[in-house]
């Protein structure tokens, strides 16, 4: 059903009161009468917590002007969505390509923003850079893989020492099933110690950087228990993580609020800070896609919001974003940052994963205009 429900009056009036001064963009609804600038998340939150965004594409010239204005104006800290991943930085042994990453860091510095570096050891078979595990025609042995990992981390962190606030040292190591860590080329060669080895190396490379362990679904009790075990192992191995990144790729009507809050508290108890590193709220539920069986064929035909997302659904999303940020505001001293995975709905990866559809998961729409979710997040910051 695509007919728009009327906005609740309070929401309508507030949206009508703002227009987007930055970049000369009008906010839309009723903007002509009032020209007050759009509030900035970074000003309203004032670092409690820091608010970040992941940026795809080359900065600044590869990013559309309306998004650039939002990136510059709204956020404290920027994550490169892809240009600091291993495949990008060192596609072949010894051949580093820092062009895009250099431009990214320079952009953030010019704008007095921090950078969240992402990521070194990404523990999935499909994201483990192939040459790292080959030695000519043979599989590389543990010593060679370790040496390559250390060289990569040292080279990249050394280049940006003092200029990158935090590094996702290990991404997605924990297994979703019964195993502790996921079986991948990394764990097959270096064993479960790969995580500790990566953290030890990163600590030496830039002792002042904040080191992050990043993963998804770690707010769920089973994976959270594995995470706490991993953190204890890291401490014992003198390979401490400073921050745990909860990715936060959630779905509308299935955001696990209680588990998220419990996890923030549990991690604080375990002596680490928390970052929400990749936040978005998928509007087209995807659990059936992963349920297995024949349902997937039906699910991949679903594209319910191709012509736009109805106002009542956007409001539901706003309420859920609001509730999340109320939790974040309540625990802000335990948080390092909260980062959205993308600026506007048009660049979100959820338009293509796990199947192609028109999605609306972020705070700004396809015209780079603020959605009800944006205002709900502001309200949470202001304690309303
Ligand atoms: C994962 C990774 C990110 C990114 C997102 C989706 O969560 O950590 O680098 O690839 O998926 O785009």
């Amino acid at each position: 059903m695509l007919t728009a429900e009327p906005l609740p009056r309070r929401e309508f009036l507030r949206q009508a009161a703002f227009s987007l001064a930055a970049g000369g963009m009008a906010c839309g609804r009723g903007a002509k009468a009032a020209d007050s600038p759009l509030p900035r998340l970074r000003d309203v939150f004032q670092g409690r917590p820091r608010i970040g965004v992941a940026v795809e594409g080359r900065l600044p010239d590869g990013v559309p002007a309306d998004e650039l204005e939002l990136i510059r104006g709204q956020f404290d800290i920027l994550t490169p969505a892809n240009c600091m991943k291993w495949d990008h930085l060192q596609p072949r042994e010894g051949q580093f390509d820092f062009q895009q990453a250099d431009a990214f860091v320079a952009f953030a510095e010019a704008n007095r923003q921090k950078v969240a570096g992402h990521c070194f050891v990404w523990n999935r078979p499909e994201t483990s850079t192939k040459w790292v595990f080959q030695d000519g025609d043979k599989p590389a042995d543990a010593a060679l893989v370790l040496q390559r990992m250390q060289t990569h981390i040292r080279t990249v962190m050394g280049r940006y020492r003092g200029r990158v606030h935090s590094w996702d040292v290990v991404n997605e190591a924990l297994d979703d099933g019964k195993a502790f860590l996921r079986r991948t080329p990394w764990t097959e060669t270096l064993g479960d110690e790969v995580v500790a080895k990566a953290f030890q190396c990163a600590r030496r490379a830039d002792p002042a950087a904040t080191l992050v362990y990043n993963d998804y679904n770690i707010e769920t009790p089973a994976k959270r228990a594995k995470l706490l075990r991993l953190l204890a192992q890291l401490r014992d191995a003198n390979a401490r993580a400073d921050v745990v990144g909860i990715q936060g790729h959630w779905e509308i009507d299935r955001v696990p609020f209680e588990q998220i809050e419990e996890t923030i508290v549990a991690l604080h108890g375990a002596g680490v800070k928390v970052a929400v590193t990749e936040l978005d709220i998928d509007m087209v539920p995807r659990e059936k896609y992963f349920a297995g069986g024949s349902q997937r064929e039906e699910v991949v035909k679903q594209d319910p919001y191709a012509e736009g997302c109805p106002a009542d659904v956007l409001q539901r999303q706003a309420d859920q974003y609001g509730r999340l940020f109320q939790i974040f505001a309540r625990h802000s001293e335990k948080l390092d940052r909260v980062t959205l995975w993308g600026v506007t709905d048009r660049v979100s990866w959820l338009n293509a994963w796990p199947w192609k559809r028109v999605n609306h998961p972020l705070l700004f729409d396809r015209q780079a205009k603020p959605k009800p979710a944006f205002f709900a997040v502001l309200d949470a910051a202001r304690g309303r």
Side-chain angles (χ1 to χ4, degrees), residues 56 80-82 85 118-119 122 168 171-172 214 216 247 249 278 280 341 349:
E56 185 104 42
N82 286 308
K85 286 176 176 165
H118 173 79
C119 53
W122 188 354
D168 293 348
N171 194 26
E172 304 185 343
N214 194 48
Y216 60 91
Q247 288 188 357
H249 293 298
E278 306 187 12
D280 44 30
W341 199 254
W349 71 302

